[in-house]
C-alpha cells in the first residue's frame, strides 16, 4: 500500500460495479488511501495548479481593490452594488447544501447523506470563506470594516446601527460560519483518529502527530461515542434553523430596502430555496469528477446522485414558482414602479441576464425528470454548471437591474464589469477550489464512521439502509 | 502690494442680511409647401432623451457598440500600476531595504517649520474666519460684480455682490439684497491657483525672466515711438485702460479690440437704425411680452444675471413686479435650444438665417415694413405663430419688448429697434444707453484691419493684451501668418497659450484677483476690482503693461484711483468705492430721446427664402455658440466647467455639433457620429449630438474646444479618449471653420459622416441599451412610456405644471392634493374623529421631534433657468472633486446637486423642464435606516448628516436612496493634490468642509457649515449688542443661505427654518390652496420619505391662440 497503484490493485474487484462488497475495512482503506498515497494524483496536481493560478489572479485583483479603491470595479453611483454583492450572495447560497445535508438530513434520518456530508460541509465552509471576502472587500474602506462588529471602543458611544440589515448579515454569516466549522470538525474527529492510528502504525510520526492533535484524544470508547453522538445531535439541532435563517437574513439586505425589485416579502423563502438549489449543484459539480478520480463510486453511489438531482428538481421549481410569483405580484399589487421593474428585468437592457437566469434555473432542472439523465454523470455535471451560472445570474439580475432602473429616470444607468470584477470572482473560485482540493488530499473526505454505520453490514438483518 | 492695500479696505463684516402644437410641413418635389397636419404631442408627456424614444428612430445610438469592459478601465492612470511616482516609490523602498538610501526611502525628518504669531493683528483679521471683499471679473468686455471670500489671506470663493446696484434686488422684495453669479464668474477662481498658469516671461517660446523682460522693455518703448506699433486688446470696459489707450494713441500706437464672442452686431444694428451706436437694455421686470430673436437672455447675454432676475420678477404672478395675477409671456425664436428657449412659453425653432425674414414679417405687420417672400412664413408652424405674436405685441403696446441675439446681422437688430419703437417699448420696457466708446470699429473689422496690416508688413510692434487670437481669430485671416511678419510682439496672457508661442515675448498676466481694475457692468456702472492676493506668479495687469509702455511703472491702484473721467473716484471717496465695489450713479446715460429712426432696407435672399423642412446637404447653416464649458476657449483649463454638464445636452468634457433629429435622419447621423463639417473650404471633424428642438437644417457648432496649449486639464488621459485617432485634447477646435464672412452664422455648409463614432460623456443618458437588441425581443422595455408616466402622468409626477389661466380660474389650485395616505394630517384625523380610518403610523420607527430649527428648502421650477450656477457654487463651497471624462462615462460624477432635464412633446419642438436635485434631506430617510455603522444620522435640526470619518463605504445608503443623490468616492479623487506641482491648488479648498478620502459616501449637506456659522454669527452679534434681539430669538429668515441659493440669479432656491411659519421657505412649502401659493409638491411622496426639499410647480403662460385643444388638430403623421 505504498503506492496508489498498489492500493488500486488491492481492491480491484471492489471497483467493479455490482461486485463491490463494502466491508468496514474496505471503506476505511478506500477513503484513507487518498491521504496516504505519497504521490498525489496527476489530475489533482493539474487541478490544484489551475486553482492556485486563479487564486493568484484574485489576490492581485484584491490588492488593486484595496490599494487603489473599488473604483477599479464597474460599480457606479447608480449601480452601487454589482458583482461584489452578487458573488457574496452566490457563495453564501452555495454554502447552504453542506449544512442542509449534515443537519437537516441527519435529523430526518436520511441515511444517504453519509457518503457526501463531509465533502458538502467542507464545501460549505470554503464557500462561506469565499463569501465572507466580499462584505469586507466591497466596502470603500475595508480597513475599517471591523466597525461593523459591536466591539467596545474608546470612541464614546459609537456602536453599530442595529436597524441595518447589513448588521444582521454580520451576525447571521458569522454564526453560520462558526456553527458549520464546529459541526464539520466535530464530525471529523473519529475519522481523524483513524488517520492518526494508520499513520502511527506505518511509522509516519509527524503525520500521526498532526492528525493526533486534531483528533483531540479520540480513542473510540463507548463513552466517547456516546458523548460524540449527543454533541453531534445538538449541533445538528442548532445548525438546522441556521440553514433557513442565513439566507433569509441575507435576503433582508434587499427585502427591507425600498427599492422596487428588492422590496418584496417573498425573498426569504425564495432565497433559501435558491440557496439549496445552488448548493446541491455545487456539491455535484465537485463530487462527480472527484468520485471518478479517487474511485469512490461504491461509496458515493449513483443513488446518492439521483437523490441530489431530485432535490435540485424540487428546489429549481420552487425558484421558478418564485419568479412567477414576483411577476404576478408586480401586476397584482398595482404598484407601477414594481411592475415596471419586472418588465424592465425581462425585456429591458438586462434581458440577456434574465433569460440566462430563467433558462438555467427553471428549464435546465427539468432534465432531471429523466432517469437516463440521472444516470449520465457527464450530463449531470454539465447541467449543474448551468445551474451554478443561473443562480449567479439570479443574484445579478436582482441586484443590478433593480438598481439600474430605480425611481428617477434621470439617474438611470447601465452596468459594465471590469477586469477586476471578473478577477476577484475568479480569485474566490480559485480560493474555494484550492481549499477543497487540499481538503480532499489531506482530510477524510467521506465520513467513514457514518458510512459504516449506514452500511448493510452494520445491520444485523443484513437489510439495506435507506439508500 | 495687495496685502498692505487690503488692510486699508474694510472687510464686509456681514453680508448675509447683509409648445406649440405644430403641424409639419413637407416640401414636395415641386417646392410647394404641403401642409401635413400632425397630432400634437401628448400634453406634458415627458421623455428624457432621444434614446428614450425607443427603437423607433434611427438617430439612436445604434452604432455605439458596447464594450465588454467599462471605458477607461484599462487606461486610467489612477489604475496605472507603474506610474512615475510608483516607480520611484518602489525604487526608494528597495534602496531603503538595502540600507543605503534612507533619505530616498522617505525616512527624512519633516522640514523644520516655525509658527510665529503676528506681532500686530491685521485689521479685521480674525484667525479662522473668512472676510469678504468686493471685486469683479471682466469677461468679454462686461464686468460681473463679485464678492470674494478670503480665508486667512487666500480667496476661496466668489459670489455675486449683493450691494452692487446692477446685481442686487430680490425677486419678490426689491429691497432684499441678492445677487447671482454665473458659472464662468464663479469658476474663474480656479485659474488663480492653476499650476498651469504662466509663471515667467517667455522669449521666442523659451523661458526668460522678468528682469530680462524689463531690460527688453526699454527697447520696446522706443519702438513704439518709431511707428508701426499696434495694440490688440481683448475687450475691456475699464475707464482707466481707456485713458491709457488714449495716451498710447497720442503716441501713434493704433489700438484694436477683438473678442471672438461679441455683441457688436447689436451696436452696428443700432447705428443702422439711429445713425449712432447705442446699447439697448431691456427692462424685463416691466415686460408682459418678451420676444427673443436667436438670443439667450439667461446665459449668453452680457446682462444675463440681471435679465434672469428681472425675468423672474415679472414671471412671478404674486408679488412680482407686474400687477398681481399677471405674469410675463416669453416667445423664443431660435435655432439652437437655449436656456431661454427652455423657459419660453412658445418657442419656434428656425434656422438663424431665417430670423431676418421672420423679423421682416413682424416689421411688415407691426411697423409698416415690406414682407419678404419667404416660403417658411407660410408654413403651418410659423404662420399662426406670427399671427398670434403680432396680435399680442400690438395689444401689449408699451408692455412688450423684442431682443435680438448677438449672432443676428445688424439689419435684424435695426429692424428690431424699429419694431420696438412701434410697440412703444422705448422708455418703458427698453432703454437705449450711450455707448461708452461710440466710434470703436467692430471687433471683426478691427481684427481684419490689423491682420491686413500685419500681412502687408505695416506692423512692426504688436502688443497683445490678453486674448488668444492665434486660436480664435477668424480662420481666413491667417492671424498666425501675419504675426510671424511682426518684428516684435508681446503677448500678455495668463497662460502661455497658442498665441504666446508665436510671439517674440510672452508676459504672464495677473489674475483678476491679483490686480486692480475698474470696469463697467452692462449698464455702465463703474465697478472697482480689488486684488485679494499678491500675484502668485508675478503677473502684470493690462493697465500695468500699458503704463510700462508709457514709460511709467505705476501700480494698478495708482492707475485706477487716478481721476479718469467725470466719476473722479478720489473726489467721491475712493475707500468707499473699493469697499462697496462700485461707483454709485455711474451708469451710462439714457439716450432714448436723442434717437431718431432712419429708414432701414432689408432683403431676404437665397436660402433665407427656403422652408424649414428640407435643405440640400450643401445648403446647411452653421452657427457658432458660446461654450458652457470654456466660454470661447479661455476657460479651457478649468476642470470645474468642463465637468459641469451643458445646460441642455448634459454633455461634459467635449464640445460637439448640434444637429436636429430630422436633419440627422436626413444625413444619416446618429448621436455620437463623427462628422466632418465643411464651410467655405475649411473643415472640422467632431462628434454630433442630436439635439431635440434644434432647428432643421442648422448645425450648431459649440466653440472653445480643441485648445492645444491650454494646460494639463485639456490633455489629461482621464479627459481625452486616446483610442480616437488624432485626438489629443478635450473637444474639437470649431474655430477652424469660423471665417470672417459667416463669423456667427455661415451658410452653404456640408456635413459628411466619417464613419467613426465617439462616446460623449453625458451625465443624464450615460446608461444605454442597444435598441437593436430590444427590437429583437420585440419589445423595448417600455422605457419611453415609463418615463412619461413617472415624470408627468402618474399619480405623483416628478414634474408638475400649471398654466397661468388655470391658476386664475382656480385660485385654490394645489400641486399636491392633501389627504393622501402619507399625510400627517390624515394620520391625525384618523386617530381622532373618523373612526373608519384606522390610526396611521406609517413609519416603523419613531419619528423625529424638533425643539428648535427644522431646515427646509423650496425650489421653484418656474424660475429655474437651468444655468448651472448652483452646481458650480456647490462645487466651490463643498470642495467637490472633479473626476474626469472617463469617470463621468462610468457614472461616477460627484456633483452634489444635479439638474435633471426632461423633454416633453415631439423631438421637433419639445418643451424642456430643468429640475435641480440635491439631497432631499428626508424626514424618514431611507439612507439612515440601512447604514451598518450609523455614519449617516438625523440631526436634531432635521438634516441628514454624513460623518465621513465613520463611513466604511458599504454604499447601502445610496442603493436605498430613491433620489439617487448620494455620491461615492470610488477612487482617490484628491490624489493629484498631493503631487508637488498641484499643491498650490489646495489653497482653494474651503477649510470648513472636509476633503473626503477614497471610500466614503458624500452628499448635499444643506451647507451645514453655513448653517452653523450663521447661528454662531447671529448669536455673537446679539451678545455683543450689534443686533437688537434676544439670544433665544429664532434666527431671522434669510440670515443663513446655502451656496446654491446665493448663486441662483432668480432666487429659485429658498432655504430657511420650517419651524418659523413666517419664513419664506415655510410659506413656499404650504400646500393648502386656501392660504395662497400652493404650488409646492414633494418628489416621490408615496415612498413616505417626507423630503425637506419641496418643488414648486412650474407655471406656463401659453397664448390661448396658439394653444389649440388637442382634439381639434387633425390626426396623422405624428413624430411620436
Amino acid at each position: 500500500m505504498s503506492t496508489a497503484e498498489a492500493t488500486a490493485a488491492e481492491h480491484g474487484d471492489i471497483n467493479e460495479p455490482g461486485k463491490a462488497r463494502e466491508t468496514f475495512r474496505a471503506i476505511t482503506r478506500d477513503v484513507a488511501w487518498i491521504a496516504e498515497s505519497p504521490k498525489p494524483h496527476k489530475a489533482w496536481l493539474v487541478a490544484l495548479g489551475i486553482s492556485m493560478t486563479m487564486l493568484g489572479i484574485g489576490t492581485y485583483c484584491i490588492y488593486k481593490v484595496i490599494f487603489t479603491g473599488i473604483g477599479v470595479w464597474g460599480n457606479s453611483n447608480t449601480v452601487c452594488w454589482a458583482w461584489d454583492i452578487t458573488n457574496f450572495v452566490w457563495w453564501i447560497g452555495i454554502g447552504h447544501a453542506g449544512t442542509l445535508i449534515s443537519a437537516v438530513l441527519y435529523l430526518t434520518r436520511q441515511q444517504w447523506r453519509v457518503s457526501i456530508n463531509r465533502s458538502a460541509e467542507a464545501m460549505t465552509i470554503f464557500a462561506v470563506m469565499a463569501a465572507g471576502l466580499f462584505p469586507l472587500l466591497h466596502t470603500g474602506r475595508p480597513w475599517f470594516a471591523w466597525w461593523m462588529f459591536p466591539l467596545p471602543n474608546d470612541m464614546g458611544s459609537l456602536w453599530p446601527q442595529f436597524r441595518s440589515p447589513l448588521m444582521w448579515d454580520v451576525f447571521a454569516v458569522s454564526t453560520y460560519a462558526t456553527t458549520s466549522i464546529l459541526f464539520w470538525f466535530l464530525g471529523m474527529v473519529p475519522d481523524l483518529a483513524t488517520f492518526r492510528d494508520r499513520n502511527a502504525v506505518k511509522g509516519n510520526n509527524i503525520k500521526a502527530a498532526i492528525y493526533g492533535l486534531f483528533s483531540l484524544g479520540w480513542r473510540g470508547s463507548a463513552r466517547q461515542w456516546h458523548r460524540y453522538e449527543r454533541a453531534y445531535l445538538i449541533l445538528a439541532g442548532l445548525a438546522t434553523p441556521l440553514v433557513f435563517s442565513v439566507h433569509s437574513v441575507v435576503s433582508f439586505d434587499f427585502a427591507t430596502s425600498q427599492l422596487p425589485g428588492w422590496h418584496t416579502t417573498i425573498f426569504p423563502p425564495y432565497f433559501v430555496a435558491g440557496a439549496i438549489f445552488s448548493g446541491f449543484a455545487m456539491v455535484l459539480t465537485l463530487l462527480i469528477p472527484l468520485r471518478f478520480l479517487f474511485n469512490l463510486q461504491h461509496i458515493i453511489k449513483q443513488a446518492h446522485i439521483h437523490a441530489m438531482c431530485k432535490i435540485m428538481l424540487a428546489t429549481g421549481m420552487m425558484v421558478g414558482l418564485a419568479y412567477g410569483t414576483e411577476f404576478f405580484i408586480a401586476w397584482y399589487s398595482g404598484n407601477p414602479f414594481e411592475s415596471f421593474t419586472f418588465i424592465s428585468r425581462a425585456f429591458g437592457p438586462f434581458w440577456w441576464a434574465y433569460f440566462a437566469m430563467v433558462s438555467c434555473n427553471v428549464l435546465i432542472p427539468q432534465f432531471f425528470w429523466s432517469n437516463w439523465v440521472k444516470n449520465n454523470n457527464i450530463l449531470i455535471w454539465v447541467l449543474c454548471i448551468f445551474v451554478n451560472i443561473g443562480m449567479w445570474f439570479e443574484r445579478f439580475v436582482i441586484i443590478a437591474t433593480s438598481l439600474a432602473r430605480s425611481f428617477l429616470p434621470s439617474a438611470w444607468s447601465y452596468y459594465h464589469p471590469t477586469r477586476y470584477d471578473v478577477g476577484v470572482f475568479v480569485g474566490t473560485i480559485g480560493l474555494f477550489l484550492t481549499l477543497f482540493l487540499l481538503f480532499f488530499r489531506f482530510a477524510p473526505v467521506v465520513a467513514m464512521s457514518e458510512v459504516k454505520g449506514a452500511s448493510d453490514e452494520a445491520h444485523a438483518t443484513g437489510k439495506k439502509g435507506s439508500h | 502690494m495687495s496685502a498692505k492695500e487690503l488692510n486699508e479696505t474694510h472687510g464686509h463684516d456681514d453680508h448675509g442680511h447683509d409648445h406649440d402644437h405644430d403641424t409639419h410641413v413637407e416640401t414636395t418635389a415641386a417646392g410647394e409647401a404641403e401642409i401635413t397636419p400632425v397630432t400634437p404631442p401628448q400634453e406634458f408627456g415627458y421623455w428624457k432623451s432621444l434614446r428614450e424614444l425607443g427603437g423607433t428612430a434611427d438617430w439612436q445610438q445604434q452604432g455605439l457598440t458596447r464594450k465588454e469592459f467599462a471605458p477607461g478601465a484599462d487606461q486610467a492612470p489612477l489604475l496605472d500600476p507603474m506610474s512615475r511616482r510608483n516607480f520611484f516609490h518602489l525604487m526608494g523602498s528597495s534602496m531603503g531595504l538595502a540600507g543605503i538610501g534612507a533619505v530616498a526611502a522617505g525616512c527624512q525628518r519633516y522640514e523644520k517649520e516655525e509658527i510665529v504669531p503676528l506681532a500686530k493683528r491685521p485689521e479685521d483679521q480674525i484667525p479662522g474666519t473668512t472676510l469678504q471683499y468686493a471685486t469683479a471679473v471682466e469677461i468679454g468686455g462686461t464686468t460681473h460684480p463679485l464678492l470674494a471670500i478670503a480665508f486667512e489671506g487666500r480667496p476661496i470663493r466668489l459670489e455675486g455682490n449683493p450691494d452692487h446696484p446692477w446685481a442686487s434686488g430680490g425677486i419678490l422684495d426689491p429691497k432684499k439684497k441678492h445677487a447671482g453669479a454665473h458659472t464662468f464668474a464663479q469658476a474663474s477662481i480656479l485659474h488663480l491657483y492653476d499650476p498651469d498658469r504662466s509663471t515667467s516671461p517667455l522669449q521666442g517660446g523659451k523661458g526668460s525672466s522678468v528682469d530680462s523682460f524689463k531690460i527688453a522693455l526699454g527697447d520696446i518703448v522706443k519702438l513704439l515711438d518709431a511707428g508701426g506699433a499696434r495694440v490688440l486688446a481683448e475687450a475691456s470696459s475699464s475707464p482707466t485702460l481707456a485713458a491709457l489707450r488714449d495716451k498710447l494713441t497720442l503716441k501713434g500706437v493704433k489700438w484694436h479690440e477683438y473678442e471672438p464672442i461679441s455683441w457688436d452686431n447689436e451696436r452696428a444694428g443700432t447705428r443702422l437704425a439711429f445713425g449712432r451706436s447705442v446699447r439697448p437694455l431691456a427692462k424685463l421686470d416691466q415686460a408682459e411680452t418678451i420676444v427673443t430673436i436667436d438670443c439667450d437672455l439667461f446665459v449668453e447675454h452680457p446682462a444675463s444675471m440681471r435679465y434672469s432676475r428681472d425675468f423672474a420678477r415679472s414671471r412671478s404672478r404674486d408679488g412680482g413686479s407686474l400687477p398681481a395675477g399677471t405674469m410675463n409671456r416669453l416667445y423664443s425664436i431660435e435655432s439652437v435650444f437655449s436656456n431661454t428657449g427652455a423657459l419660453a412659453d412658445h418657442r419656434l425653432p428656425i434656422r438663424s438665417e431665417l430670423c431676418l425674414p421672420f423679423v421682416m414679417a413682424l416689421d411688415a405687420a407691426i411697423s409698416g415694413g415690406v414682407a419678404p417672400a419667404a416660403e417658411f412664413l407660410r408654413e403651418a408652424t410659423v404662420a399662426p405663430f406670427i399671427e398670434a405674436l403680432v396680435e399680442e405685441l400690438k395689444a401689449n403696446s408699451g408692455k412688450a419688448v423684442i431682443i435680438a441675439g448677438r449672432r443676428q446681422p445688424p439689419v435684424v437688430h435695426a429692424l428690431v429697434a424699429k419694431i420696438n419703437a412701434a410697440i412703444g417699448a422705448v422708455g418703458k420696457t427698453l432703454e437705449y444707453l450711450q455707448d461708452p466708446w461710440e466710434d470703436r470699429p467692430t471687433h471683426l473689422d478691427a481684427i481684419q484691419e490689423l491682420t491686413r496690416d500685419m500681412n502687408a508688413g505695416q506692423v512692426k510692434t504688436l502688443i497683445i493684451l490678453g486674448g488668444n487670437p492665434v486660436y480664435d481669430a477668424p480662420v481666413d485671416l491667417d492671424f498666425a501668418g501675419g504675426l510671424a511678419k511682426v518684428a516684435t510682439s508681446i503677448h500678455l496672457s495668463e497662460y502661455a497659450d497658442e498665441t504666446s508661442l508665436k510671439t517674440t515675448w510672452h508676459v504672464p498676466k495677473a489674475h483678476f484677483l491679483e490686480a486692480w481694475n475698474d470696469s463697467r457692468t452692462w449698464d455702465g456702472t463703474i465697478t472697482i476690482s480689488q486684488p485679494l492676493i499678491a500675484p502668485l506668479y508675478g503677473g502684470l495687469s493690462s493697465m500695468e503693461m500699458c503704463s510700462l509702455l508709457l514709460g511709467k511703472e505705476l501700480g494698478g491702484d495708482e492707475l485706477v484711483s487716478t481721476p479718469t473721467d467725470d466719476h473722479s473716484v478720489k473726489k467721491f471717496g475712493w475707500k468707499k468705492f473699493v469697499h462697496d465695489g462700485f461707483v454709485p450713479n455711474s451708469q451710462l446715460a439714457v439716450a432714448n430721446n436723442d434717437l431718431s429712426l432712419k429708414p432701414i432696407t432689408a432683403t431676404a435672399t437665397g436660402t433665407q427664402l427656403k422652408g424649414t423642412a428640407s435643405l440640400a446637404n450643401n445648403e446647411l447653416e452653421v452657427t457658432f455658440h458660446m461654450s458652457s464649458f470654456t466660454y470661447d476657449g479661455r476657460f479651457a483649463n478649468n476642470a470645474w466647467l468642463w465637468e459641469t454638464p451643458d445646460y441642455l445636452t448634459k454633455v461634459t468634457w467635449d464640445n460637439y455639433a448640434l444637429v436636429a433629429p430630422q436633419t440627422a435622419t436626413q444625413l444619416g447621423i446618429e448621436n455620437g457620429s463623427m462628422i466632418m463639417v465643411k464651410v467655405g473650404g475649411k473643415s472640422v471633424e467632431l462628434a454630433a449630438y442630436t439635439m431635440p428642438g434644434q432647428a432643421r437644417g442648422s448645425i450648431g457648432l459649440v466653440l472653445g474646444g480643441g485648445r492645444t496649449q491650454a494646460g494639463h486639464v485639456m490633455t489629461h488621459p482621464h479627459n481625452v479618449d486616446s483610442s480616437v485617432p488624432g485626438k489629443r485634447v478635450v473637444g474639437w477646435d470649431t474655430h477652424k471653420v469660423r471665417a470672417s464672412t459667416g463669423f456667427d452664422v455661415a451658410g452653404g455648409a456640408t456635413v459628411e459622416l466619417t464613419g467613426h463614432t465617439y462616446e460623449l460623456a453625458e451625465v443624464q443618458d450615460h446608461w444605454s441599451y442597444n435598441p437593436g437588441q430590444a427590437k429583437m425581443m420585440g419589445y423595448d422595455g417600455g422605457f419611453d412610456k415609463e418615463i412619461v408616466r413617472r415624470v408627468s402622468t402618474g399619480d405623483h409626477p416628478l414634474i408638475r405644471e400649471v398654466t397661468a389661466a388655470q391658476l386664475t380660474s382656480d385660485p385654490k389650485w394645489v400641486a399636491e392634493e392633501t389627504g393622501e395616505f402619507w399625510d400627517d394630517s390624515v394620520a391625525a384625523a384618523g386617530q381622532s374623529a373618523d373612526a373608519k380610518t384606522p390610526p396611521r403610523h406609517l413609519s416603523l420607527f419613531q419619528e423625529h421631534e424638533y425643539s428648535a430649527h427644522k431646515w427646509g428648502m423650496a425650489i421653484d421650477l418656474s424660475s429655474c433657468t437651468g444655468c448651472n450656477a448652483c452646481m458650480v457654487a456647490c462645487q466651490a463651497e463643498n470642495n467637490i472633486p472633479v473626476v474626469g471624462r472617463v469617470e463621468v462615462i462610468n457614472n461616477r460624477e460627484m456633483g452634489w446637486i444635479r439638474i435633471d432635464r426632461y423633454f416633453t412633446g415631439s423631438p421637433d419642438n419639445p418643451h424642456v423642464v430643468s429640475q435641480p436635485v440635491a439631497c432631499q434631506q428626508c424626514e424618514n430617510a431611507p439612507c439612515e435606516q440601512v447604514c451598518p455603522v450609523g455614519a449617516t444620522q438625523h440631526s436634531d435640526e432635521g438634516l441628514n448628516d454624513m460623518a465621513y470619518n465613520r463611513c466604511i463605504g458599504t454604499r447601502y445608503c445610496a442603493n436605498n436612496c430613491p433620489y439617487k443623490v448620494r455620491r461615492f468616492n470610488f477612487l482617490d479623487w484628491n490624489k493629484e493634490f498631493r503631487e508637488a506641482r498641484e499643491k498650490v491648488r489646495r489653497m482653494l479648498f474651503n477649510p470648513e468642509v472636509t476633503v473626503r478620502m477614497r471610500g466614503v459616501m458624500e452628499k448635499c449637506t444643506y451647507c451645514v457649515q453655513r448653517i452653523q456659522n450663521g447661528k454662531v454669527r447671529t448669536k455673537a452679534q446679539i451678545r455683543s449688542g450689534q443686533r437688537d434681539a434676544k439670544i433665544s430669538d429664532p434666527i431671522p429668515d434669510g440670515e443663513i443661505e446655502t451656496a446654491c441659493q446665493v448663486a441662483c440669479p432668480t432666487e429659485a432656491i429658498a432655504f430657511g427654518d420650517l419651524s418659523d411659519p413666517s419664513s419664506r421657505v415655510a410659506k413656499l412649502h404650504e400646500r393648502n390652496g386656501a392660504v395662497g401659493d400652493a404650488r409646492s409638491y414633494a418628489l416621490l411622496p408615496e415612498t413616505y420619505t417626507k423630503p425637506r426639499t419641496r418643488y414648486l410647480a412650474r407655471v406656463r403662460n401659453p397664448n390661448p391662440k396658439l394653444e389649440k385643444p388637442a382634439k381639434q388638430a387633425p390626426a396623422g403623421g405624428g413624430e411620436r
Side-chain angles (χ1 to χ4, degrees), chain A residues 73 138 164 253 406 409-410, chain B residues 48 790 892 900 930 955-956:
Chain A
W73 288 340
H138 100 286
S164 169
D253 284 353
S406 64
S410 63
Chain B
K48 209 177 64 168
R790 285 194 189 179
R892 291 171 180 167
D900 289 351
V930 296
R955 307 185 299 295
Y956 199 171

Side-chain angles (χ1 to χ4, degrees), chain B residues 794-1084:
Chain B
D795 290 342
H796 312 293
L798 303 176
I799 299 286
R800 303 187 190 187
E801 300 199 2
V802 62
T803 60
Q806 211 172 333
L807 283 177
T808 308
S809 65
D810 178 13
K812 292 188 177 179
W813 185 86
V814 288
E816 185 173 280
E817 290 290 337
T818 50
E820 297 269 15
F821 69 86
W822 60 81
D823 267 359
D824 288 334
S825 53
V826 171
Q831 275 164 328
S832 54
D834 186 1
K836 283 177 194 165
T837 318
R840 304 222 180 227
H841 298 288
L842 290 176
S843 179
L844 269 178
F845 305 108
Q846 193 180 358
E847 296 199 16
H848 303 278
E849 284 173 11
Y850 302 94
S851 54
H853 307 294
K854 282 167 70 177
W855 304 113
M857 187 178 273
I859 299 178
D860 191 345
L861 300 183
S862 244
S863 45
C864 173
T865 64
C867 72
N868 289 346
C870 51
M871 295 188 72
V872 177
C874 184
Q875 183 134 31
E877 171 78 18
N878 293 303
N879 300 334
I880 292 172
V882 169
V883 299
R885 172 184 175 274
V886 170
E887 297 298 340
V888 168
I889 291 175
N890 286 344
N891 190 2
R892 291 171 180 167
E893 63 272 10
M894 295 301 286
W896 286 0
I897 185 166
R898 63 170 196 260
I899 302 184
D900 289 351
R901 169 271 280 130
Y902 298 103
F903 294 106
T904 166
S906 86
D908 268 346
N909 187 13
H911 284 305
V912 164
V913 179
S914 297
Q915 182 175 44
V917 181
C919 175
Q920 308 281 306
Q921 311 284 351
C922 308
E923 193 56 53
N924 295 326
C927 52
E928 290 168 13
Q929 277 15 314
V930 296
C931 176
V933 292
T936 183
Q937 293 277 1
H938 215 72
S939 86
D940 56 4
E941 297 179 359
L943 305 177
N944 298 113
D945 287 344
M946 256 316 291
Y948 306 123
N949 280 348
R950 180 64 174 168
C951 179
I952 60 172
T954 66
R955 307 185 299 295
Y956 199 171
C957 51
N959 287 340
N960 213 24
C961 173
Y963 310 100
K964 284 279 176 277
V965 290
R966 288 180 155 259
R967 299 282 176 262
F968 188 69
N969 288 274
F970 279 96
L971 292 167
D972 185 0
W973 306 127
N974 295 309
K975 190 181 180 184
E976 59 189 358
F977 291 104
R978 292 194 288 276
E979 288 176 21
R981 76 181 289 278
E982 304 284 342
K983 277 191 174 169
V984 62
R985 287 166 60 195
R986 291 154 71 168
M987 290 170 74
L988 184 56
F989 281 139
N990 182 352
E992 297 189 318
V993 179
T994 312
V995 176
R996 282 78 61 185
M997 75 176 297
R998 150 164 84 87
V1000 302
M1001 189 60 77
E1002 60 185 66
K1003 63 161 190 81
C1004 162
T1005 63
Y1006 270 178
C1007 285
V1008 65
Q1009 67 281 4
R1010 284 172 168 256
I1011 295 175
Q1012 297 305 339
N1013 278 346
K1015 289 196 297 191
V1016 169
R1017 186 176 60 230
T1018 311
K1019 300 212 161 152
Q1021 283 168 355
I1022 294 170
R1023 230 180 255 282
S1024 62
Q1026 287 174 41
R1027 209 182 258 263
D1028 187 23
K1030 289 203 292 288
I1031 277 288
S1032 55
D1033 284 352
I1035 308 288
D1037 192 36
E1039 184 61 39
I1040 297 169
E1041 289 186 307
T1042 62
C1044 51
Q1045 178 186 18
V1046 170
C1048 180
T1050 62
E1051 284 185 88
I1053 300 174
F1055 175 81
D1057 191 347
L1058 294 172
S1059 64
D1060 172 9
S1062 68
S1063 69
R1064 181 169 169 234
V1065 71
K1067 286 179 190 156
L1068 292 177
H1069 270 217
E1070 185 56 60
R1071 57 200 184 100
N1072 180 355
V1075 176
D1077 196 337
R1079 293 187 287 129
S1080 134
Y1081 70 95
L1083 279 195
L1084 303 173

Side-chain angles (χ1 to χ4, degrees), chain B residues 363-419:
Chain B
D363 176 37
I366 294 169
S367 42
V370 186
E375 183 187 292
F376 88 98
L377 292 171
R378 298 197 303 274
E379 286 177 7
T381 49
V382 183
F385 188 98
I386 295 184
E387 194 183 322
L389 180 57
V390 165
E391 193 180 318
E392 180 164 337
L393 286 174
K394 281 181 175 169
N396 262 349
S397 184
K399 292 184 284 189
V401 66
I402 306 177
I403 308 164
R406 60 163 193 87
R407 273 184 298 276
Q408 287 304 314
V411 65
V412 170
H413 289 273
L415 286 172
V416 164
K418 186 179 166 196
I419 303 167

Side-chain angles (χ1 to χ4, degrees), chain A residues 64-78 80-81 84 138-141 143-144 147-148 158-161 163-167 252-253 256-259 262 336-337 340 343-344 347-349 351 355 403 405-414 416-419, chain B residues 48 66-70 73-74 78-79 764 767-769 773 777 779 781 783 786-787 789-791 798 845 890-893 898 900 902 928-934 948-956 958-960 962-964 966-968 970-971 997-1000 1084 1086-1087:
Chain A
K64 291 300 284 185
V65 167
I66 292 175
F67 286 87
T68 306
I70 58 166
V72 299
W73 288 340
N75 302 37
S76 68
N77 274 326
T78 297
C80 270
W81 288 350
D84 43 3
H138 100 286
T139 61
R141 304 198 294 173
W143 49 95
F144 288 132
W147 286 350
M148 290 216 268
L158 220 44
W159 207 240
Q161 212 268 101
R163 289 184 298 175
S164 169
L166 289 184
M167 270 313 296
F252 289 161
D253 284 353
T256 62
S257 80
Q258 49 72 57
L259 187 73
W262 285 14
F337 293 116
F340 170 73
I343 291 170
S344 160
F347 305 107
W351 64 269
F355 283 96
L403 286 171
R405 295 282 181 283
S406 64
F407 288 100
L408 296 194
S410 63
W412 287 359
S413 184
Y414 192 75
H416 304 276
T418 67
R419 58 180 74 173
Chain B
K48 209 177 64 168
R66 307 309 316 158
K67 289 173 188 161
E68 181 184 1
F69 297 115
D74 51 347
L78 268 176
L79 317 179
Q764 212 183 327
W767 62 280
S768 54
Y769 70 102
Q773 286 175 338
M777 301 303 295
Y779 190 70
F783 289 112
E786 177 62 14
I787 290 164
R789 191 194 69 71
R790 285 194 189 179
V791 179
L798 303 176
F845 305 108
N890 286 344
N891 190 2
R892 291 171 180 167
E893 63 272 10
R898 63 170 196 260
D900 289 351
Y902 298 103
E928 290 168 13
Q929 277 15 314
V930 296
C931 176
V933 292
Y948 306 123
N949 280 348
R950 180 64 174 168
C951 179
I952 60 172
T954 66
R955 307 185 299 295
Y956 199 171
N959 287 340
N960 213 24
Y963 310 100
K964 284 279 176 277
R966 288 180 155 259
R967 299 282 176 262
F968 188 69
F970 279 96
L971 292 167
M997 75 176 297
R998 150 164 84 87
V1000 302
L1084 303 173
E1086 63 270 54
T1087 54

Side-chain angles (χ1 to χ4, degrees), chain A residues 95-142:
Chain A
H96 265 65
T99 316
L100 181 89
I101 291 166
S102 316
V104 179
L105 299 187
Y106 177 78
L107 293 181
T108 54
R109 298 286 186 266
Q110 296 294 309
Q111 291 293 339
W112 59 271
R113 62 175 271 283
V114 296
S115 65
I116 53 166
N117 74 338
R118 176 69 43 74
S119 43
E121 283 168 33
M123 188 195 78
T124 291
I125 289 155
F126 304 145
V128 171
M129 284 167 75
L133 273 178
F134 286 102
L136 178 68
L137 287 180
H138 100 286
T139 61
R141 304 198 294 173

Side-chain angles (χ1 to χ4, degrees), chain B residues 208-252:
Chain B
S208 181
S209 69
V210 180
D211 290 338
S212 25
F213 173 68
K214 284 195 173 160
I215 293 164
L217 194 68
D219 299 333
I220 293 163
V221 170
K222 281 177 207 145
L223 283 174
L224 294 186
D225 299 324
R230 304 287 177 94
V231 170
L232 173 63
E234 61 181 351
S236 167
S237 54
S238 162
T240 305
L241 194 64
L244 293 165
R245 179 185 74 214
D246 292 343
K247 285 182 190 164
L248 280 168
T249 313
L250 283 176
K251 285 183 74 172

